[in-house]
Amino acid sequence: MVISSGLSRRRLVWYILATLLAVFIYFYGLDSQHIPKNGDEYPYEHITRLTADSGHLLPLQSQLDNMRNTKPPLLFWQGIASTRWGQDWTLWQLRYPSVIYTLLTAALIFLLGWKLSGQQGMGRLETGFIALLTYLAFFSTYRYGRPFLINPAEVFWFFLPFFTLLYWQPATFESRLVMPLLLGIEVGIGLLYKSFALVAPVSLGLAWWYLHYRDYRLTVFVLRDSWKIAIAVCLSLAIFGLWFVFDPDPQAIWREFIVGENAGKFDPHGGSYWAKLLWGSSSVWSLLAGYPMNAGLLALPVAAVFVVAYQRRARLSAAEKMLWIWMFTLFLVFCIPSQRSSRYLLEAMPGLAVLCALNWQRIGRWAFVVSLVVAGAVLALLIFLSLRLQDEMAGAALYAPWYWMLLALTAALILLALFVARYTRPVFNVAALLALLCFAAFLRPFDGAVGNYSAEVQHYAKGREVWVPCNFRAHEEGHRFILPGAQIHGYRDDQGLTAAALAERYRLFAVQVPLQDAGCADCKILGQRLDIRSRQSDSELQEMLHGKVMQFLFVKELLIEAAGAKSTAATEEGCR
């Protein structure tokens, strides 16, 4: 590689440092209870823990109603392996494989951006780095690519076949046996993470790519390529079918997973299928908006890429057309079920990051400027909340000096990118990534001393039955990391029960109260910790919009021991 100028050397150093920063950001705070995630992490933790306790990989174990074979076993086996059969039961051990999967996907994106850039020397590297950083700056990548969820592995294994075809074309398209077998293995592993149903968009996307490669000559495609798709599909389904072969209760898989989990997604749940298709939060329009919404702070640049692609539709390269085909295929297939979510489009985000990088210089600067202004507003909100929270928690040093330095550095980069045009594009992704880091740093006190019970309290609760609030299925699993060794049970926190009322029902329980609330006057408070409320009612959200943020966003959790109360673990359902 020849780097032609000092500027190129400085840019190469900049992108390498930015990539190292992105890797650090994805590992930073990985053990936090409060990272952006999806509530499905709790049931997955539950199933993994009980399956590990059973000493057998199959059948999967669960105490949740109608939620045992909710997903194929590979995610749970991944968690069993990373925690050494539950012996290292920490969030870090459960989650770090997710980050590795996400970084592997980012590496594929870098290689594809480098390969397709059409430039030489530093230009190729720069396109690869932009693609990688764009993907890691997407909020959907940060939200779903770090927790103990299926999405990181799902995105990697379903993007890998398309990467393989595109990176080594035309040899891959002409391969008669090796490539179809390789595609089948890659897709099959993905199915064992997610669902056999994903064979539909993947096989359709692959078939469309082969057809496009043959210039839409249908006869040639049927004779030369259709059987390759058939081989890949059959092999992938055979790999998925191993679950039925090795599970001692295959009928439960059929009942709970095939019928309940997959066929259930076509149920409109009481409404009209067509009405739900055209209107509401699960409509086809909300799914279409999923691409820019998944991008977070990059929503406007992503939307601009759609416009640029339409304007250049007659001049798009073959590779660009294939990536757009994959995006359209996913959108088309996931329009069919009654449940539509931007989460279903995550497999398309790696390709979208590559498309953004290939068109980075064609995106109007205004899209970056507006996005930077939004990032500045997010930063201002974090500063406001940090100051208010510090004021509420007088006497506790919540934020170290480095936190305020980080906020200042992020603000400086945002201003630099806003007012110096030549720095707007190179700095933009770094500013977006730093905004994610600022958010994670803002949350760190909730996982420190003020966000946890003391060692003495944890030791006291060990082995005892403790009732904790929950607002999502298996939400109480989170308290197993807060009170390790305790016998955790959940109670619904949406019933308006006061600490005094809970004291009549449970001997040892946790309750969340406003920051200035004393809790229960007649109860023995063993310890307290600072926490964030994860869900608010519509009325509470309206109150927050009117300025009452502190009252409904931050809470104090008290661990209380009530004399004379009976534990009712055997009779109450909790958050099952």
Side-chain angles (χ1 to χ4, degrees), residues 429-454:
N429 279 331
V430 177
L433 284 164
L434 282 174
L436 296 177
L437 180 59
C438 289
F439 179 66
F442 165 72
L443 295 174
R444 282 311 281 172
F446 297 91
D447 299 292
V450 297
N452 279 287
Y453 295 113
S454 66

PDB file of all heavy atoms in Angstrom, residues 429-454:
ATOM      1  N   ASN A 429     -18.910  10.208  12.370  1.00  0.00           N
ATOM      2  CA  ASN A 429     -19.125   8.916  13.024  1.00  0.00           C
ATOM      3  C   ASN A 429     -18.465   8.867  14.396  1.00  0.00           C
ATOM      4  O   ASN A 429     -19.001   8.245  15.331  1.00  0.00           O
ATOM      5  CB  ASN A 429     -18.582   7.791  12.151  1.00  0.00           C
ATOM      6  CG  ASN A 429     -19.551   7.407  11.041  1.00  0.00           C
ATOM      7  OD1 ASN A 429     -20.757   7.536  11.189  1.00  0.00           O
ATOM      8  ND2 ASN A 429     -19.022   6.940   9.923  1.00  0.00           N
ATOM      9  N   VAL A 430     -17.313   9.502  14.533  1.00  0.00           N
ATOM     10  CA  VAL A 430     -16.639   9.527  15.832  1.00  0.00           C
ATOM     11  C   VAL A 430     -17.483  10.295  16.847  1.00  0.00           C
ATOM     12  O   VAL A 430     -17.615   9.878  18.004  1.00  0.00           O
ATOM     13  CB  VAL A 430     -15.238  10.142  15.701  1.00  0.00           C
ATOM     14  CG1 VAL A 430     -14.562  10.246  17.063  1.00  0.00           C
ATOM     15  CG2 VAL A 430     -14.379   9.310  14.757  1.00  0.00           C
ATOM     16  N   ALA A 431     -18.070  11.399  16.418  1.00  0.00           N
ATOM     17  CA  ALA A 431     -18.937  12.168  17.316  1.00  0.00           C
ATOM     18  C   ALA A 431     -20.154  11.343  17.727  1.00  0.00           C
ATOM     19  O   ALA A 431     -20.565  11.366  18.903  1.00  0.00           O
ATOM     20  CB  ALA A 431     -19.376  13.459  16.630  1.00  0.00           C
ATOM     21  N   ALA A 432     -20.731  10.595  16.775  1.00  0.00           N
ATOM     22  CA  ALA A 432     -21.879   9.746  17.099  1.00  0.00           C
ATOM     23  C   ALA A 432     -21.486   8.649  18.082  1.00  0.00           C
ATOM     24  O   ALA A 432     -22.232   8.336  19.022  1.00  0.00           O
ATOM     25  CB  ALA A 432     -22.457   9.139  15.830  1.00  0.00           C
ATOM     26  N   LEU A 433     -20.315   8.043  17.886  1.00  0.00           N
ATOM     27  CA  LEU A 433     -19.841   7.014  18.807  1.00  0.00           C
ATOM     28  C   LEU A 433     -19.560   7.596  20.194  1.00  0.00           C
ATOM     29  O   LEU A 433     -19.871   6.974  21.215  1.00  0.00           O
ATOM     30  CB  LEU A 433     -18.582   6.358  18.247  1.00  0.00           C
ATOM     31  CG  LEU A 433     -18.806   5.359  17.099  1.00  0.00           C
ATOM     32  CD1 LEU A 433     -17.506   5.080  16.365  1.00  0.00           C
ATOM     33  CD2 LEU A 433     -19.409   4.064  17.633  1.00  0.00           C
ATOM     34  N   LEU A 434     -18.970   8.788  20.239  1.00  0.00           N
ATOM     35  CA  LEU A 434     -18.706   9.426  21.526  1.00  0.00           C
ATOM     36  C   LEU A 434     -20.004   9.761  22.252  1.00  0.00           C
ATOM     37  O   LEU A 434     -20.057   9.727  23.491  1.00  0.00           O
ATOM     38  CB  LEU A 434     -17.858  10.680  21.338  1.00  0.00           C
ATOM     39  CG  LEU A 434     -16.364  10.449  21.101  1.00  0.00           C
ATOM     40  CD1 LEU A 434     -15.662  11.767  20.785  1.00  0.00           C
ATOM     41  CD2 LEU A 434     -15.720   9.783  22.320  1.00  0.00           C
ATOM     42  N   ALA A 435     -21.049  10.090  21.506  1.00  0.00           N
ATOM     43  CA  ALA A 435     -22.343  10.335  22.142  1.00  0.00           C
ATOM     44  C   ALA A 435     -22.843   9.065  22.829  1.00  0.00           C
ATOM     45  O   ALA A 435     -23.414   9.118  23.931  1.00  0.00           O
ATOM     46  CB  ALA A 435     -23.357  10.814  21.100  1.00  0.00           C
ATOM     47  N   LEU A 436     -22.618   7.903  22.198  1.00  0.00           N
ATOM     48  CA  LEU A 436     -22.979   6.642  22.835  1.00  0.00           C
ATOM     49  C   LEU A 436     -22.151   6.408  24.087  1.00  0.00           C
ATOM     50  O   LEU A 436     -22.661   5.938  25.111  1.00  0.00           O
ATOM     51  CB  LEU A 436     -22.772   5.487  21.850  1.00  0.00           C
ATOM     52  CG  LEU A 436     -23.649   5.481  20.596  1.00  0.00           C
ATOM     53  CD1 LEU A 436     -23.258   4.316  19.679  1.00  0.00           C
ATOM     54  CD2 LEU A 436     -25.128   5.398  20.957  1.00  0.00           C
ATOM     55  N   LEU A 437     -20.863   6.737  24.019  1.00  0.00           N
ATOM     56  CA  LEU A 437     -19.998   6.580  25.184  1.00  0.00           C
ATOM     57  C   LEU A 437     -20.431   7.509  26.313  1.00  0.00           C
ATOM     58  O   LEU A 437     -20.416   7.122  27.491  1.00  0.00           O
ATOM     59  CB  LEU A 437     -18.548   6.844  24.791  1.00  0.00           C
ATOM     60  CG  LEU A 437     -17.509   6.722  25.915  1.00  0.00           C
ATOM     61  CD1 LEU A 437     -17.528   5.324  26.521  1.00  0.00           C
ATOM     62  CD2 LEU A 437     -16.116   7.071  25.401  1.00  0.00           C
ATOM     63  N   CYS A 438     -20.802   8.742  25.982  1.00  0.00           N
ATOM     64  CA  CYS A 438     -21.285   9.681  26.993  1.00  0.00           C
ATOM     65  C   CYS A 438     -22.528   9.136  27.696  1.00  0.00           C
ATOM     66  O   CYS A 438     -22.674   9.251  28.924  1.00  0.00           O
ATOM     67  CB  CYS A 438     -21.585  11.036  26.364  1.00  0.00           C
ATOM     68  SG  CYS A 438     -20.129  11.961  25.842  1.00  0.00           S
ATOM     69  N   PHE A 439     -23.410   8.540  26.917  1.00  0.00           N
ATOM     70  CA  PHE A 439     -24.620   7.959  27.496  1.00  0.00           C
ATOM     71  C   PHE A 439     -24.270   6.812  28.444  1.00  0.00           C
ATOM     72  O   PHE A 439     -24.807   6.713  29.549  1.00  0.00           O
ATOM     73  CB  PHE A 439     -25.541   7.468  26.380  1.00  0.00           C
ATOM     74  CG  PHE A 439     -26.807   6.828  26.872  1.00  0.00           C
ATOM     75  CD1 PHE A 439     -27.762   7.572  27.534  1.00  0.00           C
ATOM     76  CD2 PHE A 439     -27.037   5.474  26.686  1.00  0.00           C
ATOM     77  CE1 PHE A 439     -28.929   6.988  28.004  1.00  0.00           C
ATOM     78  CE2 PHE A 439     -28.195   4.875  27.144  1.00  0.00           C
ATOM     79  CZ  PHE A 439     -29.146   5.630  27.805  1.00  0.00           C
ATOM     80  N   ALA A 440     -23.333   5.943  28.018  1.00  0.00           N
ATOM     81  CA  ALA A 440     -22.920   4.832  28.872  1.00  0.00           C
ATOM     82  C   ALA A 440     -22.237   5.342  30.134  1.00  0.00           C
ATOM     83  O   ALA A 440     -22.457   4.804  31.231  1.00  0.00           O
ATOM     84  CB  ALA A 440     -21.983   3.902  28.094  1.00  0.00           C
ATOM     85  N   ALA A 441     -21.411   6.387  29.995  1.00  0.00           N
ATOM     86  CA  ALA A 441     -20.727   6.957  31.165  1.00  0.00           C
ATOM     87  C   ALA A 441     -21.724   7.608  32.117  1.00  0.00           C
ATOM     88  O   ALA A 441     -21.549   7.565  33.344  1.00  0.00           O
ATOM     89  CB  ALA A 441     -19.677   7.965  30.712  1.00  0.00           C
ATOM     90  N   PHE A 442     -22.760   8.217  31.572  1.00  0.00           N
ATOM     91  CA  PHE A 442     -23.812   8.802  32.405  1.00  0.00           C
ATOM     92  C   PHE A 442     -24.487   7.739  33.271  1.00  0.00           C
ATOM     93  O   PHE A 442     -24.857   7.988  34.423  1.00  0.00           O
ATOM     94  CB  PHE A 442     -24.845   9.486  31.508  1.00  0.00           C
ATOM     95  CG  PHE A 442     -26.142   9.815  32.192  1.00  0.00           C
ATOM     96  CD1 PHE A 442     -26.213  10.839  33.116  1.00  0.00           C
ATOM     97  CD2 PHE A 442     -27.291   9.079  31.920  1.00  0.00           C
ATOM     98  CE1 PHE A 442     -27.412  11.144  33.761  1.00  0.00           C
ATOM     99  CE2 PHE A 442     -28.485   9.367  32.554  1.00  0.00           C
ATOM    100  CZ  PHE A 442     -28.557  10.408  33.482  1.00  0.00           C
ATOM    101  N   LEU A 443     -24.598   6.509  32.743  1.00  0.00           N
ATOM    102  CA  LEU A 443     -25.282   5.441  33.461  1.00  0.00           C
ATOM    103  C   LEU A 443     -24.388   4.706  34.467  1.00  0.00           C
ATOM    104  O   LEU A 443     -24.888   3.954  35.296  1.00  0.00           O
ATOM    105  CB  LEU A 443     -25.836   4.420  32.458  1.00  0.00           C
ATOM    106  CG  LEU A 443     -26.938   4.920  31.513  1.00  0.00           C
ATOM    107  CD1 LEU A 443     -27.269   3.848  30.491  1.00  0.00           C
ATOM    108  CD2 LEU A 443     -28.189   5.330  32.282  1.00  0.00           C
ATOM    109  N   ARG A 444     -23.070   4.886  34.376  1.00  0.00           N
ATOM    110  CA  ARG A 444     -22.168   4.087  35.202  1.00  0.00           C
ATOM    111  C   ARG A 444     -22.408   4.211  36.707  1.00  0.00           C
ATOM    112  O   ARG A 444     -22.256   3.220  37.431  1.00  0.00           O
ATOM    113  CB  ARG A 444     -20.704   4.437  34.894  1.00  0.00           C
ATOM    114  CG  ARG A 444     -20.179   3.829  33.629  1.00  0.00           C
ATOM    115  CD  ARG A 444     -20.476   2.350  33.518  1.00  0.00           C
ATOM    116  NE  ARG A 444     -19.568   1.516  34.301  1.00  0.00           N
ATOM    117  CZ  ARG A 444     -19.714   0.219  34.476  1.00  0.00           C
ATOM    118  NH1 ARG A 444     -20.771  -0.399  33.969  1.00  0.00           N
ATOM    119  NH2 ARG A 444     -18.846  -0.468  35.186  1.00  0.00           N
ATOM    120  N   PRO A 445     -22.759   5.393  37.240  1.00  0.00           N
ATOM    121  CA  PRO A 445     -23.018   5.444  38.692  1.00  0.00           C
ATOM    122  C   PRO A 445     -24.101   4.476  39.148  1.00  0.00           C
ATOM    123  O   PRO A 445     -24.075   4.016  40.293  1.00  0.00           O
ATOM    124  CB  PRO A 445     -23.438   6.898  38.923  1.00  0.00           C
ATOM    125  CG  PRO A 445     -22.769   7.652  37.829  1.00  0.00           C
ATOM    126  CD  PRO A 445     -22.807   6.740  36.646  1.00  0.00           C
ATOM    127  N   PHE A 446     -25.038   4.138  38.259  1.00  0.00           N
ATOM    128  CA  PHE A 446     -26.111   3.224  38.630  1.00  0.00           C
ATOM    129  C   PHE A 446     -25.613   1.786  38.774  1.00  0.00           C
ATOM    130  O   PHE A 446     -26.351   0.912  39.248  1.00  0.00           O
ATOM    131  CB  PHE A 446     -27.234   3.294  37.598  1.00  0.00           C
ATOM    132  CG  PHE A 446     -27.884   4.642  37.518  1.00  0.00           C
ATOM    133  CD1 PHE A 446     -27.422   5.606  36.624  1.00  0.00           C
ATOM    134  CD2 PHE A 446     -28.945   4.971  38.342  1.00  0.00           C
ATOM    135  CE1 PHE A 446     -28.009   6.857  36.550  1.00  0.00           C
ATOM    136  CE2 PHE A 446     -29.540   6.217  38.280  1.00  0.00           C
ATOM    137  CZ  PHE A 446     -29.063   7.170  37.388  1.00  0.00           C
ATOM    138  N   ASP A 447     -24.381   1.538  38.341  1.00  0.00           N
ATOM    139  CA  ASP A 447     -23.781   0.214  38.511  1.00  0.00           C
ATOM    140  C   ASP A 447     -22.623   0.250  39.498  1.00  0.00           C
ATOM    141  O   ASP A 447     -21.949  -0.756  39.692  1.00  0.00           O
ATOM    142  CB  ASP A 447     -23.292  -0.316  37.156  1.00  0.00           C
ATOM    143  CG  ASP A 447     -24.422  -0.476  36.164  1.00  0.00           C
ATOM    144  OD1 ASP A 447     -25.278  -1.350  36.382  1.00  0.00           O
ATOM    145  OD2 ASP A 447     -24.467   0.281  35.178  1.00  0.00           O
ATOM    146  N   GLY A 448     -22.391   1.411  40.090  1.00  0.00           N
ATOM    147  CA  GLY A 448     -21.327   1.550  41.079  1.00  0.00           C
ATOM    148  C   GLY A 448     -21.850   1.390  42.484  1.00  0.00           C
ATOM    149  O   GLY A 448     -22.872   0.733  42.736  1.00  0.00           O
ATOM    150  N   ALA A 449     -21.185   2.038  43.423  1.00  0.00           N
ATOM    151  CA  ALA A 449     -21.532   1.884  44.840  1.00  0.00           C
ATOM    152  C   ALA A 449     -22.944   2.369  45.135  1.00  0.00           C
ATOM    153  O   ALA A 449     -23.684   1.730  45.893  1.00  0.00           O
ATOM    154  CB  ALA A 449     -20.515   2.642  45.699  1.00  0.00           C
ATOM    155  N   VAL A 450     -23.352   3.497  44.518  1.00  0.00           N
ATOM    156  CA  VAL A 450     -24.686   4.029  44.818  1.00  0.00           C
ATOM    157  C   VAL A 450     -25.778   3.221  44.127  1.00  0.00           C
ATOM    158  O   VAL A 450     -26.954   3.329  44.480  1.00  0.00           O
ATOM    159  CB  VAL A 450     -24.799   5.514  44.408  1.00  0.00           C
ATOM    160  CG1 VAL A 450     -23.848   6.376  45.205  1.00  0.00           C
ATOM    161  CG2 VAL A 450     -24.586   5.689  42.912  1.00  0.00           C
ATOM    162  N   GLY A 451     -25.405   2.418  43.120  1.00  0.00           N
ATOM    163  CA  GLY A 451     -26.393   1.630  42.387  1.00  0.00           C
ATOM    164  C   GLY A 451     -26.459   0.183  42.832  1.00  0.00           C
ATOM    165  O   GLY A 451     -27.184  -0.616  42.217  1.00  0.00           O
ATOM    166  N   ASN A 452     -25.711  -0.170  43.878  1.00  0.00           N
ATOM    167  CA  ASN A 452     -25.697  -1.548  44.361  1.00  0.00           C
ATOM    168  C   ASN A 452     -25.830  -1.578  45.876  1.00  0.00           C
ATOM    169  O   ASN A 452     -25.518  -0.597  46.564  1.00  0.00           O
ATOM    170  CB  ASN A 452     -24.391  -2.246  43.953  1.00  0.00           C
ATOM    171  CG  ASN A 452     -24.434  -2.747  42.522  1.00  0.00           C
ATOM    172  OD1 ASN A 452     -25.112  -3.720  42.216  1.00  0.00           O
ATOM    173  ND2 ASN A 452     -23.704  -2.074  41.641  1.00  0.00           N
ATOM    174  N   TYR A 453     -26.288  -2.699  46.367  1.00  0.00           N
ATOM    175  CA  TYR A 453     -26.321  -2.894  47.806  1.00  0.00           C
ATOM    176  C   TYR A 453     -24.910  -3.207  48.306  1.00  0.00           C
ATOM    177  O   TYR A 453     -24.062  -3.712  47.567  1.00  0.00           O
ATOM    178  CB  TYR A 453     -27.263  -4.043  48.160  1.00  0.00           C
ATOM    179  CG  TYR A 453     -28.707  -3.777  47.816  1.00  0.00           C
ATOM    180  CD1 TYR A 453     -29.345  -4.503  46.815  1.00  0.00           C
ATOM    181  CD2 TYR A 453     -29.427  -2.792  48.475  1.00  0.00           C
ATOM    182  CE1 TYR A 453     -30.676  -4.265  46.484  1.00  0.00           C
ATOM    183  CE2 TYR A 453     -30.761  -2.544  48.159  1.00  0.00           C
ATOM    184  CZ  TYR A 453     -31.376  -3.278  47.155  1.00  0.00           C
ATOM    185  OH  TYR A 453     -32.682  -3.016  46.827  1.00  0.00           O
ATOM    186  N   SER A 454     -24.664  -2.899  49.556  1.00  0.00           N
ATOM    187  CA  SER A 454     -23.345  -3.136  50.139  1.00  0.00           C
ATOM    188  C   SER A 454     -23.061  -4.634  50.216  1.00  0.00           C
ATOM    189  O   SER A 454     -23.970  -5.475  50.133  1.00  0.00           O
ATOM    190  CB  SER A 454     -23.274  -2.523  51.537  1.00  0.00           C
ATOM    191  OG  SER A 454     -24.155  -3.208  52.416  1.00  0.00           O
TER     192      SER A 454
END
